[in-house]
Amino acid sequence: MTSRKSPGLRTVDVARRAGCSVQQVRNLERDGVLPPATRTAAGYRTYAQAHVHSALAYRALAAGAGPVEAKRIMRAAHAYPGSDLLALIDAAHARLDTERRELELAKRAAGAITVEPMDDVRPADSMSVAELAGALGVRPSTLRHWESEGLLAPRRGTPRGAREYTPSDVRDARVVNQLRRAGYRIAPLRALMPELRRANRWHEISSVLAARDASIDARSRALLDGAAALGMLLAST
């Protein structure tokens, strides 16, 4: 992809039109996000409209899929059609679709979580691993697995001492149990648990999930914007 339509743009022109800094434009060119600029006889960079479209596409894709993946997509765009550009875009949308489906599972589980009487607990309500496993209807090994995955962090008097699940640990275990029963996978749950721990009461969990829903929507819209900018880029070259 080497065509340059509407030549004559300076670095500052691309920066202004793309909403970024002059240094960012240079960095994006260095990273292959922008195609190489031409040079004047005096050595100054000269850009074209394709560079503006590239910068706009990258900014939108970075908001939707993250900067690392956005760079991969942009490098593939400059090599299109002999690249996996379309497959990379499809994969980005698929990841968001997976997040959205997992979030729906979490929302359903939140309805079950809200009936758990965990708002008014006492320090004396701490449990052993056997007691908690019995209360949840799971095996002690399941609780240990959740601990090894970073979902739970019970106290232990010594490195090999017995686990003690405080009321907050019990609360976390109930949340994990409900979400796992709803089909929530370990990896996204590991990322979600810190947010749920900051929710002081069960109704705040719904607020946390709503915030994640809004984040997914924003990233989906960003991917749409990125795809539109990519379309303009491909049409301009």
Side-chain angles (χ1 to χ4, degrees), residues 6-218:
S6 303
L9 297 177
R10 301 167 300 167
T11 308
V12 67
D13 297 325
V14 177
R16 287 171 178 167
R17 297 184 188 189
C20 57
S21 70
V22 167
Q23 186 58 52
Q24 285 175 316
V25 172
R26 293 173 180 152
N27 292 345
L28 293 178
E29 182 184 352
R30 176 201 65 199
D31 294 339
V33 172
L34 307 186
T38 57
R39 295 276 185 167
T40 66
Y44 293 105
R45 290 178 173 87
T46 300
Y47 295 96
Q49 196 61 36
H51 294 90
V52 177
H53 292 320
S54 295
L56 289 171
Y58 169 75
R59 293 196 65 194
L61 292 169
V68 173
E69 190 61 23
K71 289 179 181 179
R72 289 184 62 197
I73 293 173
M74 291 309 304
R75 294 186 191 110
H78 297 313
Y80 186 78
S83 70
D84 55 354
L85 170 63
L86 300 181
L88 289 173
I89 294 174
D90 289 346
H93 282 288
R95 283 189 291 271
L96 278 178
D97 179 63
T98 297
E99 283 191 50
R100 194 179 296 279
R101 286 187 283 108
E102 289 174 339
L103 181 61
E104 287 304 314
L105 293 174
K107 287 179 180 178
R108 295 175 199 169
I113 291 171
T114 56
V115 304
E116 297 286 355
M118 290 299 297
D119 286 332
D120 300 308
V121 293
R122 302 163 298 175
D125 291 332
S126 295
M127 293 183 176
S128 67
V129 63
E131 290 170 337
L132 181 55
L136 296 179
V138 300
R139 296 178 178 179
S141 60
T142 298
L143 294 176
R144 297 188 187 100
H145 175 63
W146 291 346
E147 181 183 347
S148 69
E149 292 288 348
L151 304 180
L152 302 177
R155 296 179 183 178
R156 303 180 75 165
T158 64
R160 295 182 178 275
R163 294 168 173 82
E164 178 186 358
Y165 293 85
T166 66
S168 60
D169 295 328
V170 172
R171 173 185 184 273
D172 286 351
R174 290 184 183 275
V175 172
V176 170
N177 188 46
Q178 291 288 358
L179 294 180
R180 289 292 291 153
R181 289 174 61 185
Y184 219 72
R185 295 183 299 114
I186 291 290
L189 185 53
R190 189 186 300 117
L192 180 63
M193 281 307 296
E195 299 177 54
L196 298 186
R197 288 191 184 100
R198 289 192 289 270
N200 294 322
R201 293 188 178 275
W202 292 121
H203 74 272
E204 295 181 12
I205 292 177
S206 296
S207 297
V208 170
L209 297 177
R212 292 181 71 86
D213 200 359
S215 173
I216 293 174
D217 283 347

